[in-house]
């Protein structure tokens, strides 16, 4: 039995490997401090939003940066956070957030949709709590915690936006009509370590799965949730380990889900439509670069964004160059983890059979005696 437990430990304990980088794209845009990006399959470029400027950039695979959209109508000091492309309608969806400050004490949250051909804005939908009366509350009004963080789009053009401060999800339909979609109590069912820097950051990265549900990462608990897009019901995905400080999320064409944090890139696989999952690989990332987003480009190539976000938040830097880095998977680990699982099941069956046979022999000896 000792060997069986040792095998279980070897399956669940995966040592993070150092990042094996491929294509490195360095681009220049002073003080941009991007938090999110997405891949545009039509232009074969990345689209990046800045946290200090109300503009969206197009980044070529050679690192050429061009302003794609500059939206000067947005509130001053607002930031572009999560981005997603609605491929069927050639639209870019962008989360917009303004953090309260001394000069602007009220938060602002919205979802913007832009036509990728004309670059014109289709709509700007304020994202409110049900008790809010307007998107920019006065100082005397009750301000509910809210931060529009990330967005995913389904096949019908509906967008789902995570609120990382309030731990709920908004839904914005194809016409730009928004409402709270899910306030599941499941989102608040796990303990939060109040000693970590990110303890206030709840629901974060979100991705739509074609079977009809969302997968949502929660930063301050490391949990992954499966959310039904029909009724907003949610359940915790049973993983073999927490996704510590998980931030951005993406899914490859082979069904592998990728979750990025400042420290690691997690590779996760499920065989039962995300009721359960296994972290079969972890890659250590550049901590100083502060990775916040992950996307899948051509031929399942995985890229992370190093936007030096913490430096931008602290306001104590003036970085001019940022990078998009391809992370190559250690393919042997994915094969080995399932091999270990199969061996573990086989060993369990053998030990159980051996135990039963031993009891049978002991019972027969007692009868003979």
């Amino acid at each position: 039995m000792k060997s069986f437990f040792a095998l279980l430990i070897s399956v669940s304990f995966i040592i993070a490997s150092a990042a094996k980088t491929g294509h490195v794209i360095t681009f220049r845009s002073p003080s941009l401090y991007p938090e999110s990006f997405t891949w545009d399959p039509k232009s074969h470029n990345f689209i990046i939003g800045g946290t200090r400027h109300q503009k969206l950039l197009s980044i070529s695979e050679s690192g050429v940066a061009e302003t794609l959209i500059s939206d000067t109508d947005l509130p001053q000091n607002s930031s572009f956070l999560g981005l997603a492309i609605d491929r069927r309608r050639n639209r870019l969806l962008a989360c917009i957030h303004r953090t309260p400050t001394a000069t602007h004490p009220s938060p602002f949250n919205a979802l913007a949709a832009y036509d990728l051909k004309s670059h014109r804005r289709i709509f700007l939908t304020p994202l409110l709590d049900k008790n809010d009366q307007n998107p920019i509350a006065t100082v005397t009004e009750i301000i509910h915690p809210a931060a529009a963080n990330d967005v995913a789009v389904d096949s019908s053009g509906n967008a789902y936006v995570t609120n990382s401060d309030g731990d709920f999800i908004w839904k914005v339909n194809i016409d730009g009509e928004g409402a709270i979609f899910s306030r599941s109590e499941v989102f608040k069912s796990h303990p939060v370590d109040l000693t970590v820097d990110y303890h206030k950051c709840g629901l974060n990265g979100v991705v739509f799965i074609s079977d009809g549900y969302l997968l949502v990462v929660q930063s301050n608990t490391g949990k992954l949730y499966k959310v039904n897009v029909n009724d907003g019901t949610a359940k915790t995905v049973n993983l073999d380990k927490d996704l510590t400080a998980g931030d951005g999320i993406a899914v490859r064409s082979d069904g592998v889900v990728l979750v990025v944090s400042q420290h690691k890139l997690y590779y996760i696989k499920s065989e039962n439509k995300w009721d359960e999952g296994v972290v079969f690989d972890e890659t250590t990332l550049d901590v100083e670069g502060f990775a916040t987003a992950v996307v899948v480009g051509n031929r399942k190539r995985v890229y992370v964004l190093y936007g030096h976000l913490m430096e931008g938040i602290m306001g104590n830097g003036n970085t001019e160059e940022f990078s998009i880095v391809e992370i190559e998977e250690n393919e042997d680990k994915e094969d080995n983890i399932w091999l270990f699982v199969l061996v573990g099941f086989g060993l369990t069956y053998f030990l159980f059979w051996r135990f039963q046979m031993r009891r049978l022999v002991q019972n027969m000896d007692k009868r003979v005696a």
Side-chain angles (χ1 to χ4, degrees), residues 137-360:
T138 64
V139 179
T140 58
E141 290 179 290
I142 296 175
I143 300 175
H144 300 274
N149 198 310
D150 199 14
V151 59
V153 60
D154 67 18
S155 55
S156 299
N158 299 305
Y160 303 88
V161 179
T162 54
N163 179 348
S164 58
D165 278 1
D167 272 325
F168 62 79
I169 301 172
W170 287 287
K171 178 179 179 179
V172 180
N173 68 19
I174 193 171
D175 297 317
E177 299 168 335
I180 292 176
F181 169 66
S182 179
R183 269 192 199 272
S184 174
E185 289 299 317
V186 175
F187 300 147
K188 297 185 179 181
S189 63
H190 300 283
V192 174
D193 183 356
L194 300 180
T195 65
V196 297
D197 295 337
Y198 51 87
H199 71 271
K200 291 184 178 180
C201 185
L203 298 184
N204 203 324
V206 57
V207 67
F208 173 70
I209 305 297
S210 58
D211 290 334
Y213 50 88
L214 308 171
L215 291 178
V216 186
V217 183
Q218 191 171 47
S219 299
N220 54 11
T221 65
K223 301 301 181 183
L224 183 69
Y225 300 104
K226 178 181 178 180
V227 183
N228 190 311
V229 296
N230 293 320
D231 57 16
T233 56
K235 63 171 293 183
T236 305
V237 178
N238 185 20
L239 298 178
D240 57 327
K241 67 188 309 176
D242 289 339
L243 309 173
T244 304
D247 195 333
I249 186 172
V251 59
R252 287 193 324 208
S253 59
D254 60 358
V256 170
V257 165
L258 307 140
V259 173
V260 71
S261 72
Q262 179 187 1
H263 296 271
K264 294 180 181 179
L265 177 64
Y266 298 95
Y267 294 79
I268 316 161
K269 194 170 185 178
S270 175
E271 298 295 331
N272 58 3
K273 296 186 177 181
W274 295 102
D275 289 331
E276 299 174 330
V278 174
V279 178
F280 67 85
D281 196 6
E282 300 174 21
T283 298
T284 302
L285 301 177
D286 172 21
V287 175
E288 185 178 348
F290 208 107
T292 53
V294 55
V295 302
V296 179
N298 281 337
R299 299 184 299 278
K300 298 194 302 184
R301 296 169 72 178
V302 176
Y303 296 86
V304 298
L305 172 65
Y306 287 126
H308 298 269
L309 185 63
M310 187 53 64
E311 181 182 314
I313 292 174
M314 299 303 292
N316 57 359
N318 193 28
T319 298
E320 297 187 353
E321 289 188 341
F322 306 92
S323 59
I324 296 169
V325 178
E326 180 186 2
I327 306 296
E328 297 181 346
E329 178 189 348
N330 183 350
E331 296 181 359
D332 292 340
K333 282 194 175 182
E334 181 178 359
D335 296 334
N336 289 342
I337 187 66
W338 295 110
L339 177 61
F340 286 147
V341 170
L342 290 175
V343 171
F345 281 132
L347 183 58
T348 304
Y349 180 80
F350 169 74
L351 292 173
F352 179 75
W353 173 83
R354 184 178 177 183
F355 175 73
Q356 291 293 91
M357 290 299 296
R358 181 182 298 172
R359 290 186 60 184
L360 178 62

Side-chain angles (χ1 to χ4, degrees), residues 25-29 32 39 44-48 57-66 324:
I25 303 167
T26 301
F27 62 96
R28 182 182 174 84
S29 184
L32 185 70
W39 168 255
H44 294 279
N45 287 341
F46 297 94
I47 298 176
I48 288 184
L57 302 182
S58 174
I59 310 295
S60 72
E61 292 186 311
S62 60
V64 176
E66 297 179 345
I324 296 169

